Amino acid sequence: VTGASFVVFNGALKTSSGFLAKSSIVEDGLMVQITRETMESLRQALRDKKDFKITCGKVDAGDVKEYVDICWVENEERTNIG
């Protein structure tokens, strides 16, 4: 679990790169590089206020994967204190 001050979603990752998605820590935030198709799905999930999971890593990496989970919560005060 990584806490971040900001998140950047970059929809320019090419499908030919061999990655499902890539995540990296940038200063005190998180940058997630995703394909154009995943960006369209993410935008729709945000509009619909639905949870969304991005699987990061190489396409052929097997079970070794990282995930970026975007979760909507009911009570913001309990999760964002401090």
Side-chain angles (χ1 to χ4, degrees):
V1 175
T2 301
S5 296
F6 64 91
V7 178
V8 175
F9 295 101
N10 178 342
L13 185 69
K14 305 282 188 221
T15 52
S16 61
S17 69
F19 284 91
L20 298 166
K22 293 163 100 176
S23 64
S24 55
I25 296 173
V26 186
E27 302 209 9
D28 60 342
L30 180 68
M31 181 170 68
V32 184
Q33 297 173 319
I34 56 179
T35 62
R36 185 171 34 116
E37 295 80 13
T38 303
M39 179 65 88
E40 290 171 11
S41 298
L42 171 60
R43 285 181 174 168
Q44 188 60 50
L46 291 172
R47 280 192 285 270
D48 297 340
K49 295 187 178 180
K50 301 282 185 186
D51 293 351
F52 194 78
K53 180 182 242 178
I54 300 170
T55 304
C56 299
K58 288 224 173 237
V59 173
D60 58 359
D63 291 341
V64 181
K65 301 272 191 270
E66 293 180 2
Y67 301 95
V68 175
D69 288 319
I70 297 136
C71 304
W72 291 87
V73 296
E74 290 183 28
N75 187 350
E76 227 180 279
E77 293 175 11
R78 300 182 113 198
T79 58
N80 290 331
I81 292 176

